[in-house]
Amino acid sequence: MDTSRNILETIRMIEEERLDIRTVTMGINLLDCADSDTTKAQQRIRERILRRAEHLVEVAKGIEVELGVPIVNKRIAVTPIALVAGASAIHDAEQMLSFAHTLDAAAKEVGVDFIGGYSALVEKGVTTADSALINSIPEALANTDVVCASVNVGSSRAGINMSAVAHMGQVVSDAAHLTAERGAIGPAKLVVFANAVGDNPFMAGAFHGIEEADTVVSVGVSGPGVIKRAVEKVAGLPVDEVATAVKRAAFKITRVGQLVGRSAANRLGVEFGIVDLSLAPTAEIGDSVARILEEMGLDCVGTHGTTAALALLNDAVKKGGMMACGHVGGLSGAFIPVSEDIGMIGAASVGAITIDKLEAMTAICSVGLDMVAIPGDTPPSTIAGMIADEAAIGVMNHKTTAVRVIPVPGAGVGSIVDFGGLLGRAPVMPVNEASCAALIARGGRLPAPVHGMRN
């Protein structure tokens, strides 16, 4: 192997093709911080986060300088707070809010960009603590800066908790209205999942799964620019040649991610978790998943053939990445957030891509309806219907799906909303105006599919 050539190639990927590590995320177990005395429980949580993550940002910055690889975000994910609060006998939304403020303060003290895990897992049923946390989410997101929330409402094993789906439709709407003066930023920090995973390093849906070790470091790679350049080099060739080029590029990207992750874990004295292979775009030029799909031969993302092109991309990225690293996990696929991808922003602005097409693409990619701005007067039941549809795709296909939609108060179709930073900007997209309220009002639990009964 020509080491010099590989080093130079990596430098080029960083400097010319916008290769970066999107996040180094430390997962921290908080289960044993529970205490019937709320004050003691919160003190333990704060102390645990400060002790474990004290050097996280410092170490990540050191690796950036040493390897020359940009690390965009440093983050923390914690045990779903509904579990910790439930074990602490917290059953009131007001008391639950104090946990959100504890997380926010601790995260700021160690200097990370976000902390995830203000979460509940309710795919089969809702405990009193789960209910209290879900009820507190709008206030928690409105009154904290770096806290992210998530709720898992379905799984292939349990089915879909439709009562929780209905509740989350209202929660998303409430979170938007409480942050209306800040561009409805609240729902941008809230993800509603089906088949959520406990080793996802990406926000807003990251939490530290109960199956994980006490403390782990995981890495989310990026690199849409690198993949696009690889596709450019096989212009006009058959699609299997495109797949091969993408696999080779994904292998190189993942190697960089694994090096960063293992280096960070070793220096922090914790376990290395996983590399998440997801292609995470930004609204910057040269950092778009949509542009990769267009390079394959689409006039504009969203046209016929888009889902097939995405299938090729997603599969090839996974195959290349899995050959490069033995510990692959998280979501590991292409992200298609509308506001965070300049190609998606453009396609949505001219009506080339719709919510219906994004839903179809969900069957292939990671996540789902991600960072989609919708009219502020969208009924909560319609938002719940979107959540239910995405959950159904995930449950039936044994994959993770999610919804992160933002109903922007006062905004109509065609308006542009700027969320700032990595969250980007988004045109407000139209939704189907026919009602699904009667279906959502039924509640109950949509049974698991027969192929989910594996044992």
Side-chain angles (χ1 to χ4, degrees), residues 137-280:
I137 285 175
E139 289 280 354
L141 297 181
N143 295 300
T144 60
D145 296 314
V146 298
V147 170
C148 293
S150 61
V151 178
N152 192 68
V153 297
S155 72
S156 297
R157 186 73 176 180
I160 303 171
N161 186 338
M162 290 297 289
S163 297
V165 167
H167 195 172
M168 289 310 301
Q170 187 64 57
V171 166
V172 170
S173 181
D174 290 347
H177 283 87
L178 283 179
T179 55
E181 294 182 356
R182 290 181 285 153
I185 192 69
K189 299 186 289 180
L190 169 62
V191 180
V192 187
F193 278 117
N195 287 325
V197 294
D199 59 357
N200 164 27
F202 285 101
M203 298 297 169
F207 62 85
H208 186 68
I210 59 173
E211 72 279 10
E212 297 291 319
D214 275 339
T215 310
V216 300
V217 167
S218 295
V219 167
V221 299
S222 186
V226 178
I227 300 296
K228 182 175 181 292
R229 182 65 63 87
V231 176
E232 289 173 355
K233 292 177 180 178
V234 290
L237 296 182
V239 290
D240 46 349
E241 295 294 333
V242 177
T244 298
V246 172
K247 283 189 288 185
R248 287 174 176 162
F251 181 93
K252 296 169 186 174
I253 293 169
T254 307
R255 279 293 198 199
V256 175
Q258 180 176 239
L259 174 60
V260 170
R262 288 198 179 278
S263 297
N266 288 338
R267 297 178 191 192
L268 291 165
V270 302
E271 291 191 29
F272 169 62
I274 56 92
V275 174
D276 189 314
L277 306 179
S278 299
L279 290 178

Side-chain angles (χ1 to χ4, degrees), residues 213-369:
D214 275 339
T215 310
V216 300
V217 167
S218 295
V219 167
V221 299
S222 186
V226 178
I227 300 296
K228 182 175 181 292
R229 182 65 63 87
V231 176
E232 289 173 355
K233 292 177 180 178
V234 290
L237 296 182
V239 290
D240 46 349
E241 295 294 333
V242 177
T244 298
V246 172
K247 283 189 288 185
R248 287 174 176 162
F251 181 93
K252 296 169 186 174
I253 293 169
T254 307
R255 279 293 198 199
V256 175
Q258 180 176 239
L259 174 60
V260 170
R262 288 198 179 278
S263 297
N266 288 338
R267 297 178 191 192
L268 291 165
V270 302
E271 291 191 29
F272 169 62
I274 56 92
V275 174
D276 189 314
L277 306 179
S278 299
L279 290 178
T282 72
E284 300 296 325
I285 294 173
D287 209 16
S288 165
V289 169
R291 295 292 187 241
I292 301 172
L293 303 178
E294 290 168 354
E295 186 61 39
M296 291 182 187
L298 307 175
D299 275 350
C300 183
V301 68
T303 189
H304 303 294
T306 297
T307 307
L310 181 60
L312 184 159
L313 175 64
N314 217 41
D315 181 65
V317 166
K318 291 184 179 183
K319 286 175 178 174
M322 291 174 70
M323 287 295 291
C325 177
H327 296 285
V328 169
L331 301 174
S332 287
F335 286 177
I336 52 171
V338 173
S339 76
E340 299 172 13
D341 186 312
I342 193 168
M344 291 290 181
I345 294 168
S349 296
V350 299
I353 196 163
T354 65
I355 288 179
D356 291 340
K357 185 62 175 180
L358 288 168
E359 183 180 305
M361 293 166 72
T362 299
I364 303 299
C365 72
S366 293
V367 196
L369 296 181

Side-chain angles (χ1 to χ4, degrees), residues 90-160:
I90 304 301
H91 306 302
D92 176 81
E94 287 297 321
Q95 288 180 302
M96 196 69 73
L97 279 172
S98 62
F99 282 83
H101 289 293
T102 297
L103 294 179
D104 197 52
K108 289 175 180 176
E109 197 164 343
V110 297
V112 295
D113 298 285
F114 291 105
I115 185 166
Y118 198 71
S119 309
L121 311 177
V122 298
E123 58 268 29
K124 198 169 185 180
V126 181
T127 67
T128 307
D130 291 331
S131 182
L133 184 135
I134 292 171
N135 286 332
S136 75
I137 285 175
E139 289 280 354
L141 297 181
N143 295 300
T144 60
D145 296 314
V146 298
V147 170
C148 293
S150 61
V151 178
N152 192 68
V153 297
S155 72
S156 297
R157 186 73 176 180
I160 303 171

